[in-house]
Amino acid sequence: MPATVLIADDDLVQLMLTSETLAAEGYKVIEAEDGDAAVRLFLAEKPDMAILDVMMPGQTGFEVCTLIRRNSDPDMAMIPVVLVTGLEDEDSVQTAFEVGATTFIAKPVQWALLGHQVRYLLLSAAMESELRHAKAQVEEASVLKSRLFATLCHELRTPLNGVIGFADVMLGQGLGPIGNPGYLEYAKDIRQCGDDLLSQVNRMLLLSRLEAGLAPLKASAANADLLLEQAVKRFRKAAEPQAVAINVRPLAAPLRLWCDIEVLNAGISALVDNAVKFSPFGGTVEVSAEEMGDQVVITVCDQGNGANVGDLEKLMRPFSQAETGLDRAHNGLGLGLPIARLAAERHNGRLAIANASTGGFVASMILPPTVRATDRRGTGDRRNAAA
C-alpha cells in the first residue's frame, strides 16, 4: 500500500506541482488549501507524512504542526512533518523546529529532489516507529518479568517461613526433649540456612518491586541520625566474627528527611551489608549523612580492597559481581548496590560509587532538595520520625 502524504498550501500552483510530483513517485496524495482543512484531513485520513506551507489562511503551518505533535496516538504524533516556507529569516526556521517539524524546505522547491527527500523521511520514520514499538515491548516485558519475579519470591517466602518455624520448634524442644544432641545442631543449621535464604528472597522481592514501581512512595518525616542507626544496628552482630566496627558519624547539625522510610532504609542497609561483607578482619565501616549545597548525601565507606574501575558500572546492575566464579570469596546475589541505586532513584536521586583514595570503597546516595523535611510538611507520624 502506498504511503499517504498530506499536502497543505494556499498557493494552488505550488499545491498542484507538489501533488503531481509525489503522485508520479507512487504516493497517495491528499490536498488541503488552508490550515483548517489540513487539520480535518489529518484526523480523517491519518496520513504517513505532512508537507505544510507556513503561511496559510486559518491555521498556519506552525499551528497545524503543533496539533499533529499533540495527537493522542503516538504513531500519528510522530509522522514526518515538513514545513515549506519562502521566509529565509532564522526566526522562522527556529520556530519550525520548536513546534516539532522534522525539517523544512525553502521556496522555490527543488522538484527533482522532492521525491528523494520524501522517501528518505518516510524510511527514517518507519525505522523510528519500529524502534519505538520494540522499546515499548521491552519495557512491558521488563514490568511483567518484575511482577512475575515478585510473585515467585512471595510464594517462596511461605514455605521458608514454615521451615524456619519448625526449626524453632525443634530448637525449643516444644514436643519433648531430643534424644541425640546432634539433632539440635542440625536444627540450628536448618534455622540459619532458612534465615539466609529468606534474606535473599526478601532482597529479590524488594528489587523487583523497586524495578517495577509496583507501589508509590509513602513519604513521611524522619530524623537522619535515627534512620542511619536503624539501618546499621542489625548488621553489628553479623560483623562481630570479622571484628568489623560499624560507626555512624555524628551529624554536624540536625537533619530531617522527607522520604519513604522503608525504601530509603533498605537502600542504606544494602550498602552497609555490602560494606561489612567486603571489609577486612578488624576493619571499620563508616556511615554518614550530610547536606552538601541543597542536596543530602548518605555515604557508606569501608576499608576493603575496592573494585576494579572497569567493574564499577557493572556492579550497579542486578546479579552482577566482580567475582563470577563459583569459588568466589564472597557469597551473595549481587543485589546490594542495585537496591541502593533504585532506592535513590525512587527519590529522584542517584547512587555514586568509587574507590576511596585512602583505600576501600565509597558508596553515596545523592538525594535532591525535595528529601529535606520542612516545617510546612509537618512532623509526620512520630513512629516513622523515630524509625
Side-chain angles (χ1 to χ4, degrees):
M1 181 180 296
T4 300
V5 181
L6 166 63
I7 304 172
D9 200 317
D10 63 324
D11 183 333
L12 297 184
V13 174
Q14 183 83 11
L15 179 62
M16 179 188 68
L17 291 172
T18 307
S19 179
E20 290 182 352
T21 299
L22 296 184
E25 294 281 345
Y27 298 110
K28 177 184 175 182
V29 178
I30 53 177
E31 302 176 356
E33 297 180 7
D34 57 56
D36 295 336
V39 172
R40 289 194 297 271
L41 278 174
F42 170 77
L43 296 174
E45 299 292 335
K46 296 181 170 38
D48 300 294
M49 180 177 178
I51 301 177
L52 311 173
D53 187 29
V54 168
M55 304 305 296
M56 293 186 292
Q59 300 187 68
T60 66
F62 297 140
E63 293 169 328
V64 176
C65 181
T66 300
L67 289 173
I68 289 174
R69 294 296 182 234
R70 291 176 180 173
N71 192 270
S72 58
D73 182 341
D75 288 330
M76 292 305 302
M78 296 302 294
I79 68 168
V81 177
V82 179
L83 289 180
V84 183
T85 177
L87 303 176
E88 296 179 357
D89 60 289
E90 294 182 4
D91 290 342
S92 296
V93 175
Q94 181 176 344
T95 302
F97 289 114
E98 286 176 352
V99 299
T102 307
T103 187
F104 73 96
I105 297 176
K107 295 179 181 178
V109 175
Q110 299 295 315
W111 304 110
L113 299 177
L114 182 60
H116 297 294
Q117 291 172 306
V118 169
R119 188 160 45 253
Y120 170 77
L121 291 172
L122 287 171
L123 178 60
S124 297
M127 295 174 62
E128 289 178 7
S129 179
E130 289 180 6
L131 290 173
R132 191 164 57 250
H133 284 286
K135 180 174 180 289
Q137 290 175 348
V138 169
E139 290 174 346
E140 182 180 2
S142 178
V143 171
L144 289 175
K145 180 265 298 179
S146 296
R147 287 177 176 169
L148 176 62
F149 199 48
T151 302
L152 177 62
C153 292
H154 178 76
E155 292 302 316
L156 284 173
R157 292 174 67 180
T158 301
L160 274 173
N161 286 329
V163 170
I164 293 170
F166 285 122
D168 283 340
V169 170
M170 288 188 287
L171 286 171
Q173 303 183 68
L175 300 179
I178 295 177
N180 191 324
Y183 290 140
L184 285 176
E185 293 301 316
Y186 293 157
K188 288 180 183 178
D189 291 341
I190 292 171
R191 174 59 196 263
Q192 183 60 54
C193 292
D195 285 342
D196 292 344
L197 186 54
L198 182 60
S199 175
Q200 297 292 3
V201 168
N202 285 338
R203 280 192 155 202
M204 289 189 291
L205 180 60
L206 174 62
L207 178 76
S208 64
R209 286 176 172 170
L210 290 174
E211 276 189 324
L214 296 179
L217 292 183
K218 298 177 181 178
S220 59
N223 293 323
D225 53 351
L226 296 179
L227 185 65
L228 296 185
E229 284 291 347
Q230 182 72 20
V232 306
K233 70 177 183 180
R234 66 191 181 96
F235 296 104
R236 287 200 164 100
K237 185 174 181 180
E240 289 177 358
Q242 287 294 107
V244 174
I246 305 176
N247 299 329
V248 177
R249 186 194 305 168
L251 275 65
L255 176 60
R256 287 176 64 77
L257 306 180
W258 185 253
C259 61
D260 186 309
I261 294 175
E262 182 180 358
V263 171
L264 196 57
N265 183 291
I268 300 169
S269 296
L271 293 180
V272 175
D273 185 25
N274 197 65
V276 170
K277 182 188 301 182
F278 289 94
S279 288
F281 186 88
T284 299
V285 172
E286 187 168 272
V287 184
S288 63
E290 57 186 326
E291 294 180 272
M292 291 187 177
D294 59 354
Q295 296 177 319
V296 174
V297 180
I298 298 174
T299 302
V300 178
C301 305
D302 64 53
Q303 297 175 330
N305 294 326
N308 294 327
V309 175
D311 291 332
L312 292 178
E313 183 178 353
K314 179 178 74 172
L315 294 176
M316 302 279 262
R317 300 194 297 267
F319 306 107
S320 295
Q321 297 176 310
E323 298 175 309
T324 56
L326 295 178
D327 59 345
R328 62 186 188 272
H330 303 93
N331 60 6
L333 296 175
L335 300 181
L337 293 177
I339 286 175
R341 174 181 62 80
L342 288 168
E345 289 176 356
R346 288 298 304 277
H347 288 85
N348 297 318
R350 61 186 178 90
L351 178 69
I353 58 175
N355 292 314
S357 58
T358 55
F361 192 74
V362 181
S364 298
M365 300 174 70
I366 303 173
L367 306 174
T370 51
V371 302
R372 288 163 41 174
T374 60
D375 292 339
R376 65 181 176 83
R377 288 189 175 121
T379 58
D381 188 306
R382 288 184 179 275
R383 292 171 296 175
N384 286 340

PDB file of all heavy atoms in Angstrom, residues 342-363:
ATOM      1  N   LEU A 342      18.358   1.852  43.097  1.00  0.00           N
ATOM      2  CA  LEU A 342      16.923   2.027  42.854  1.00  0.00           C
ATOM      3  C   LEU A 342      16.266   2.814  43.972  1.00  0.00           C
ATOM      4  O   LEU A 342      15.361   3.624  43.720  1.00  0.00           O
ATOM      5  CB  LEU A 342      16.259   0.654  42.711  1.00  0.00           C
ATOM      6  CG  LEU A 342      16.585  -0.100  41.414  1.00  0.00           C
ATOM      7  CD1 LEU A 342      16.118  -1.539  41.501  1.00  0.00           C
ATOM      8  CD2 LEU A 342      15.942   0.589  40.215  1.00  0.00           C
ATOM      9  N   ALA A 343      16.698   2.607  45.217  1.00  0.00           N
ATOM     10  CA  ALA A 343      16.141   3.368  46.336  1.00  0.00           C
ATOM     11  C   ALA A 343      16.423   4.857  46.165  1.00  0.00           C
ATOM     12  O   ALA A 343      15.563   5.709  46.423  1.00  0.00           O
ATOM     13  CB  ALA A 343      16.715   2.870  47.654  1.00  0.00           C
ATOM     14  N   ALA A 344      17.642   5.185  45.712  1.00  0.00           N
ATOM     15  CA  ALA A 344      17.982   6.595  45.470  1.00  0.00           C
ATOM     16  C   ALA A 344      17.183   7.145  44.298  1.00  0.00           C
ATOM     17  O   ALA A 344      16.647   8.269  44.367  1.00  0.00           O
ATOM     18  CB  ALA A 344      19.479   6.731  45.207  1.00  0.00           C
ATOM     19  N   GLU A 345      17.064   6.363  43.219  1.00  0.00           N
ATOM     20  CA  GLU A 345      16.344   6.838  42.036  1.00  0.00           C
ATOM     21  C   GLU A 345      14.861   7.023  42.314  1.00  0.00           C
ATOM     22  O   GLU A 345      14.236   7.921  41.743  1.00  0.00           O
ATOM     23  CB  GLU A 345      16.559   5.857  40.880  1.00  0.00           C
ATOM     24  CG  GLU A 345      17.978   5.891  40.329  1.00  0.00           C
ATOM     25  CD  GLU A 345      18.214   4.846  39.246  1.00  0.00           C
ATOM     26  OE1 GLU A 345      17.292   4.038  38.979  1.00  0.00           O
ATOM     27  OE2 GLU A 345      19.324   4.837  38.674  1.00  0.00           O
ATOM     28  N   ARG A 346      14.271   6.189  43.174  1.00  0.00           N
ATOM     29  CA  ARG A 346      12.860   6.364  43.514  1.00  0.00           C
ATOM     30  C   ARG A 346      12.627   7.693  44.229  1.00  0.00           C
ATOM     31  O   ARG A 346      11.517   8.218  44.243  1.00  0.00           O
ATOM     32  CB  ARG A 346      12.358   5.212  44.391  1.00  0.00           C
ATOM     33  CG  ARG A 346      12.191   3.865  43.672  1.00  0.00           C
ATOM     34  CD  ARG A 346      11.167   3.937  42.558  1.00  0.00           C
ATOM     35  NE  ARG A 346       9.860   4.392  42.991  1.00  0.00           N
ATOM     36  CZ  ARG A 346       8.926   3.621  43.536  1.00  0.00           C
ATOM     37  NH1 ARG A 346       9.157   2.327  43.718  1.00  0.00           N
ATOM     38  NH2 ARG A 346       7.752   4.112  43.892  1.00  0.00           N
ATOM     39  N   HIS A 347      13.676   8.247  44.839  1.00  0.00           N
ATOM     40  CA  HIS A 347      13.592   9.569  45.473  1.00  0.00           C
ATOM     41  C   HIS A 347      14.156  10.654  44.560  1.00  0.00           C
ATOM     42  O   HIS A 347      14.502  11.742  45.019  1.00  0.00           O
ATOM     43  CB  HIS A 347      14.355   9.555  46.800  1.00  0.00           C
ATOM     44  CG  HIS A 347      13.682   8.770  47.891  1.00  0.00           C
ATOM     45  ND1 HIS A 347      13.833   7.405  48.027  1.00  0.00           N
ATOM     46  CD2 HIS A 347      12.823   9.165  48.875  1.00  0.00           C
ATOM     47  CE1 HIS A 347      13.121   6.990  49.059  1.00  0.00           C
ATOM     48  NE2 HIS A 347      12.500   8.027  49.587  1.00  0.00           N
ATOM     49  N   ASN A 348      14.269  10.339  43.255  1.00  0.00           N
ATOM     50  CA  ASN A 348      14.796  11.281  42.260  1.00  0.00           C
ATOM     51  C   ASN A 348      16.255  11.641  42.514  1.00  0.00           C
ATOM     52  O   ASN A 348      16.706  12.734  42.156  1.00  0.00           O
ATOM     53  CB  ASN A 348      13.943  12.556  42.203  1.00  0.00           C
ATOM     54  CG  ASN A 348      12.525  12.284  41.749  1.00  0.00           C
ATOM     55  OD1 ASN A 348      12.298  11.514  40.821  1.00  0.00           O
ATOM     56  ND2 ASN A 348      11.555  12.890  42.418  1.00  0.00           N
ATOM     57  N   GLY A 349      16.969  10.704  43.131  1.00  0.00           N
ATOM     58  CA  GLY A 349      18.394  10.905  43.362  1.00  0.00           C
ATOM     59  C   GLY A 349      19.200   9.918  42.543  1.00  0.00           C
ATOM     60  O   GLY A 349      18.730   9.361  41.557  1.00  0.00           O
ATOM     61  N   ARG A 350      20.423   9.673  42.975  1.00  0.00           N
ATOM     62  CA  ARG A 350      21.294   8.740  42.260  1.00  0.00           C
ATOM     63  C   ARG A 350      22.294   8.136  43.235  1.00  0.00           C
ATOM     64  O   ARG A 350      22.499   8.650  44.344  1.00  0.00           O
ATOM     65  CB  ARG A 350      22.036   9.435  41.122  1.00  0.00           C
ATOM     66  CG  ARG A 350      22.954  10.566  41.569  1.00  0.00           C
ATOM     67  CD  ARG A 350      23.547  11.316  40.394  1.00  0.00           C
ATOM     68  NE  ARG A 350      24.397  12.421  40.814  1.00  0.00           N
ATOM     69  CZ  ARG A 350      25.705  12.320  41.047  1.00  0.00           C
ATOM     70  NH1 ARG A 350      26.317  11.142  40.894  1.00  0.00           N
ATOM     71  NH2 ARG A 350      26.413  13.367  41.423  1.00  0.00           N
ATOM     72  N   LEU A 351      22.906   7.037  42.822  1.00  0.00           N
ATOM     73  CA  LEU A 351      23.944   6.392  43.610  1.00  0.00           C
ATOM     74  C   LEU A 351      25.282   6.597  42.913  1.00  0.00           C
ATOM     75  O   LEU A 351      25.406   6.361  41.707  1.00  0.00           O
ATOM     76  CB  LEU A 351      23.652   4.893  43.753  1.00  0.00           C
ATOM     77  CG  LEU A 351      24.706   4.082  44.524  1.00  0.00           C
ATOM     78  CD1 LEU A 351      24.684   4.457  45.997  1.00  0.00           C
ATOM     79  CD2 LEU A 351      24.474   2.582  44.360  1.00  0.00           C
ATOM     80  N   ALA A 352      26.271   7.034  43.665  1.00  0.00           N
ATOM     81  CA  ALA A 352      27.628   7.206  43.137  1.00  0.00           C
ATOM     82  C   ALA A 352      28.555   6.256  43.880  1.00  0.00           C
ATOM     83  O   ALA A 352      28.519   6.185  45.113  1.00  0.00           O
ATOM     84  CB  ALA A 352      28.097   8.653  43.304  1.00  0.00           C
ATOM     85  N   ILE A 353      29.386   5.506  43.149  1.00  0.00           N
ATOM     86  CA  ILE A 353      30.326   4.582  43.774  1.00  0.00           C
ATOM     87  C   ILE A 353      31.720   4.848  43.238  1.00  0.00           C
ATOM     88  O   ILE A 353      31.899   5.258  42.092  1.00  0.00           O
ATOM     89  CB  ILE A 353      29.930   3.114  43.535  1.00  0.00           C
ATOM     90  CG1 ILE A 353      29.841   2.791  42.037  1.00  0.00           C
ATOM     91  CG2 ILE A 353      28.608   2.799  44.214  1.00  0.00           C
ATOM     92  CD1 ILE A 353      29.569   1.324  41.743  1.00  0.00           C
ATOM     93  N   ALA A 354      32.708   4.607  44.102  1.00  0.00           N
ATOM     94  CA  ALA A 354      34.096   4.851  43.701  1.00  0.00           C
ATOM     95  C   ALA A 354      35.018   4.178  44.702  1.00  0.00           C
ATOM     96  O   ALA A 354      34.605   3.810  45.811  1.00  0.00           O
ATOM     97  CB  ALA A 354      34.392   6.350  43.640  1.00  0.00           C
ATOM     98  N   ASN A 355      36.262   4.011  44.301  1.00  0.00           N
ATOM     99  CA  ASN A 355      37.298   3.554  45.222  1.00  0.00           C
ATOM    100  C   ASN A 355      37.812   4.758  45.997  1.00  0.00           C
ATOM    101  O   ASN A 355      38.063   5.821  45.414  1.00  0.00           O
ATOM    102  CB  ASN A 355      38.442   2.881  44.469  1.00  0.00           C
ATOM    103  CG  ASN A 355      38.021   1.569  43.840  1.00  0.00           C
ATOM    104  OD1 ASN A 355      37.370   0.754  44.489  1.00  0.00           O
ATOM    105  ND2 ASN A 355      38.393   1.366  42.580  1.00  0.00           N
ATOM    106  N   ALA A 356      37.951   4.606  47.298  1.00  0.00           N
ATOM    107  CA  ALA A 356      38.447   5.704  48.130  1.00  0.00           C
ATOM    108  C   ALA A 356      39.929   5.929  47.865  1.00  0.00           C
ATOM    109  O   ALA A 356      40.680   4.979  47.619  1.00  0.00           O
ATOM    110  CB  ALA A 356      38.220   5.397  49.608  1.00  0.00           C
ATOM    111  N   SER A 357      40.344   7.174  47.929  1.00  0.00           N
ATOM    112  CA  SER A 357      41.757   7.495  47.681  1.00  0.00           C
ATOM    113  C   SER A 357      42.663   6.883  48.742  1.00  0.00           C
ATOM    114  O   SER A 357      43.833   6.587  48.493  1.00  0.00           O
ATOM    115  CB  SER A 357      41.951   9.014  47.645  1.00  0.00           C
ATOM    116  OG  SER A 357      41.511   9.596  48.865  1.00  0.00           O
ATOM    117  N   THR A 358      42.106   6.661  49.935  1.00  0.00           N
ATOM    118  CA  THR A 358      42.891   6.082  51.028  1.00  0.00           C
ATOM    119  C   THR A 358      42.730   4.575  51.107  1.00  0.00           C
ATOM    120  O   THR A 358      43.189   3.939  52.049  1.00  0.00           O
ATOM    121  CB  THR A 358      42.458   6.707  52.365  1.00  0.00           C
ATOM    122  OG1 THR A 358      41.028   6.528  52.527  1.00  0.00           O
ATOM    123  CG2 THR A 358      42.768   8.188  52.400  1.00  0.00           C
ATOM    124  N   GLY A 359      42.046   3.989  50.113  1.00  0.00           N
ATOM    125  CA  GLY A 359      41.777   2.554  50.131  1.00  0.00           C
ATOM    126  C   GLY A 359      40.354   2.290  50.557  1.00  0.00           C
ATOM    127  O   GLY A 359      39.763   3.058  51.322  1.00  0.00           O
ATOM    128  N   GLY A 360      39.782   1.216  50.080  1.00  0.00           N
ATOM    129  CA  GLY A 360      38.405   0.901  50.424  1.00  0.00           C
ATOM    130  C   GLY A 360      37.436   1.348  49.343  1.00  0.00           C
ATOM    131  O   GLY A 360      37.829   1.755  48.242  1.00  0.00           O
ATOM    132  N   PHE A 361      36.183   1.288  49.677  1.00  0.00           N
ATOM    133  CA  PHE A 361      35.109   1.534  48.713  1.00  0.00           C
ATOM    134  C   PHE A 361      34.139   2.548  49.302  1.00  0.00           C
ATOM    135  O   PHE A 361      33.816   2.504  50.489  1.00  0.00           O
ATOM    136  CB  PHE A 361      34.394   0.210  48.426  1.00  0.00           C
ATOM    137  CG  PHE A 361      33.459   0.250  47.240  1.00  0.00           C
ATOM    138  CD1 PHE A 361      33.953   0.262  45.949  1.00  0.00           C
ATOM    139  CD2 PHE A 361      32.084   0.267  47.433  1.00  0.00           C
ATOM    140  CE1 PHE A 361      33.098   0.274  44.853  1.00  0.00           C
ATOM    141  CE2 PHE A 361      31.221   0.287  46.351  1.00  0.00           C
ATOM    142  CZ  PHE A 361      31.725   0.286  45.056  1.00  0.00           C
ATOM    143  N   VAL A 362      33.669   3.467  48.462  1.00  0.00           N
ATOM    144  CA  VAL A 362      32.745   4.519  48.904  1.00  0.00           C
ATOM    145  C   VAL A 362      31.488   4.466  48.050  1.00  0.00           C
ATOM    146  O   VAL A 362      31.565   4.468  46.822  1.00  0.00           O
ATOM    147  CB  VAL A 362      33.382   5.915  48.779  1.00  0.00           C
ATOM    148  CG1 VAL A 362      32.413   6.979  49.275  1.00  0.00           C
ATOM    149  CG2 VAL A 362      34.674   5.982  49.564  1.00  0.00           C
ATOM    150  N   ALA A 363      30.340   4.412  48.698  1.00  0.00           N
ATOM    151  CA  ALA A 363      29.052   4.450  48.003  1.00  0.00           C
ATOM    152  C   ALA A 363      28.221   5.567  48.608  1.00  0.00           C
ATOM    153  O   ALA A 363      28.048   5.631  49.827  1.00  0.00           O
ATOM    154  CB  ALA A 363      28.318   3.120  48.133  1.00  0.00           C
TER     155      ALA A 363
END
